[in-house]
Amino acid sequence: MKGSKHELGRVVIARLKYDSELVRSITELARERGIKNATFTVIGAVKRAKLGYYDQKRHEYRSFSLETPHELVSCIGNISLKEGETFAHLHGVFADEEGNTKAGHVIEATVFAAELYLQELVGPELVRKYDEITGLSLWEI
Ligand code: ZN
């Protein structure tokens, strides 16, 4: 396993706007503050969400939607660079009114309320490059 050494940078605490799109909001927040690498968590609630599951044989994402309000029980993610642009990668666990959960790669979600804790990482830029074996854009470390 290869790794790279980073130092902790700024911490950003934010409340994401009602009706905003979760992935875009985090991406824009990082871009506006010049944050190229970070790790973050989000908790809150969403009005709806579209999640992905990566089919490892077909090398493509399958998606499914949550069309009702859900708790955003746990969302973790990171910020890095993909094709020179700020890129946010999020995974989340969502619970319905009975506590049943659905989880996956977050493609998009409409925020009802969301609290973000973002930790900037300072050091070598984490850049995503296409990986032949998985078909994914992975960190080039
Ligand atoms: Zn993912």
Side-chain angles (χ1 to χ4, degrees):
M1 184 173 62
K2 297 179 206 166
S4 70
K5 186 168 169 37
H6 288 78
E7 306 288 332
L8 299 180
R10 292 169 282 175
V11 169
V12 179
I13 303 288
R15 192 183 88 188
L16 304 182
K17 285 185 185 148
Y18 179 84
D19 257 349
S20 65
E21 198 287 301
L22 181 67
V23 180
R24 192 178 325 124
S25 292
I26 295 170
T27 305
E28 285 174 3
L29 181 144
R31 189 185 303 125
E32 284 168 6
R33 291 165 193 248
I35 294 172
K36 293 179 176 171
N37 302 141
T39 181
F40 59 82
T41 63
V42 186
I43 58 171
V46 300
K47 292 176 156 186
R48 63 188 74 85
K50 185 176 179 185
L51 306 181
Y53 168 85
Y54 191 69
D55 185 322
Q56 296 178 12
K57 284 191 178 154
R58 292 172 180 257
H59 283 194
E60 61 187 26
Y61 275 100
R62 284 190 239 150
S63 67
F64 56 98
S65 294
L66 308 177
E67 296 294 349
T68 57
H70 279 68
E71 291 292 307
L72 177 47
V73 178
S74 177
C75 175
I76 59 173
N78 56 61
I79 300 286
S80 56
L81 296 172
K82 182 177 172 185
E83 293 165 5
E85 298 288 328
T86 306
F87 180 80
H89 184 199
L90 290 68
H91 284 192
V93 181
F94 298 81
D96 68 14
E97 59 190 337
E98 295 178 334
N100 300 309
T101 55
K102 295 272 187 174
H105 174 96
V106 181
I107 297 168
E108 60 184 34
T110 305
V111 170
F112 179 77
E115 298 169 343
L116 169 75
Y117 171 91
L118 182 143
Q119 171 68 66
E120 180 184 26
L121 301 171
V122 179
E125 286 185 355
L126 291 170
V127 177
R128 292 185 178 276
K129 288 269 168 62
Y130 179 76
D131 176 68
E132 291 277 341
I133 296 171
T134 62
L136 293 165
S137 290
L138 301 177
W139 288 335
E140 192 176 58
I141 295 178

